[in-house]
Amino acid sequence: MNKNSENISGWKRFMKSLTKAHELGTEEDIMLDHDYDGIRELDNVLPPWWLYGFYITIVISIFYYTQVFYNSEKYSQAKEYAAELAQGKAEVEQYKKDHPELFDDANIVAFTDAENIAKGKELFSSKTCSACHLADLGGSIGPNLTDNHWILGGGVKNIYNTISKGGRPGKGMIPWESTISREERIQLASYIISMQGTKPATPKPAQGDIIWPEE
Ligand code: HEC
């Protein structure tokens, strides 16, 4: 017997110990008496590889459940949820504190960067503002937004407020706060401010007694 065939028989022995398969040709030994309409059954043992795996799962489950039981004070799902919720709320509060201009209307600051101004310009036509104020803000149904005369007040806070709450009743400028997000309303106000002093093609005569910015 060379080394190779020894190995093979060692391997075979190992496999056999894992399966405890009954020798082929000797099935009669383990044949059960009962005959189920011509179908007969061999009384094979459960293969050890499967049985050990099963025992291991039982041991792991006992370990697992004792861990869950002893740590339930620390790690219940309800507690994790509550903790994450509290952490999320604290982060939101912190963010609000760090960025008052984004959440507190008294602290609104106009955007001056090109990206937000461009977004404001895009919104000015997509949200139909240009239908009444014209694309160059010269004014038609609504007032000219490029001059320094304001009916309702200039500056980012007043303009934001007009966009949010609308103009005087019956004039045609509706409140937009339910249809345009806060950030977008600030972008719109910022765009309008950026257009201050530009020369529209057909400017509507100045309306309003509030002067902003002062000359
Ligand atoms: C249906 C026409 C109409 C549309 C659409 C419209 N506006 Fe107006 N807007 C007006 C009118 C009219 C006024 C004047 C309100 C008043 O006299 O109280 C006005 C006033 C304003 C004012 C204040 C001007 C001032 O002199 O104080 C701003 C700012 C403004 N609109 C921005 C916008 C923006 C931004 C949009 C789009 C989201 C928009 N408007 C859409 C008709 C419109």
Side-chain angles (χ1 to χ4, degrees), residues 128-129 132-133 142-143 150-152 159 162 167-168 171-173 176:
T128 72
C129 316
C132 294
H133 294 282
W150 299 87
I151 302 168
L152 301 154
I159 294 175
T162 304
R168 296 167 298 173
K171 294 290 181 183
M173 177 67 186
W176 297 90

Side-chain angles (χ1 to χ4, degrees), residues 37-189:
D37 291 339
I39 297 171
R40 303 189 63 193
E41 199 184 345
L42 298 178
D43 187 18
N44 278 307
V45 293
L46 291 169
W49 70 263
W50 183 88
L51 204 57
Y52 295 147
F54 182 57
Y55 291 150
I56 290 168
T57 62
I58 292 173
V59 172
I60 289 175
S61 71
I62 292 167
F63 174 75
Y64 180 81
Y65 281 106
T66 50
Q67 287 300 304
V68 168
F69 181 75
Y70 285 117
N71 290 316
S72 60
E73 274 301 298
K74 263 192 277 176
Y75 295 121
S76 79
Q77 283 196 16
K79 283 200 175 135
E80 273 182 44
Y81 173 72
E84 279 180 27
L85 205 64
Q87 189 193 341
K89 278 193 179 146
E91 280 173 16
V92 168
E93 286 312 314
Q94 189 57 44
Y95 189 82
K96 282 185 178 175
K97 234 185 243 167
D98 294 345
H99 303 272
E101 75 285 0
L102 291 181
F103 299 96
D104 183 354
D105 285 357
N107 286 309
I108 287 184
V109 174
F111 293 117
T112 50
D113 60 290
E115 197 179 317
N116 280 304
I117 301 287
K119 190 77 208 303
K121 179 176 184 167
E122 183 192 315
L123 289 164
F124 201 82
S125 64
S126 68
K127 298 292 181 185
T128 72
C129 316
S130 51
C132 294
H133 294 282
L134 295 197
D136 62 7
L137 279 59
S140 114
I141 296 166
N144 181 345
L145 299 175
T146 66
D147 61 21
N148 64 350
H149 284 256
W150 299 87
I151 302 168
L152 301 154
V156 68
K157 282 176 207 164
N158 289 323
I159 294 175
Y160 169 83
N161 191 53
T162 304
I163 299 170
S164 304
K165 308 287 180 197
R168 296 167 298 173
K171 294 290 181 183
M173 177 67 186
I174 58 162
W176 297 90
E177 61 188 350
S178 61
T179 46
I180 300 180
S181 78
R182 186 175 192 279
E183 189 182 22
E184 288 176 336
R185 279 176 274 137
I186 299 174
Q187 287 167 331
L188 278 166

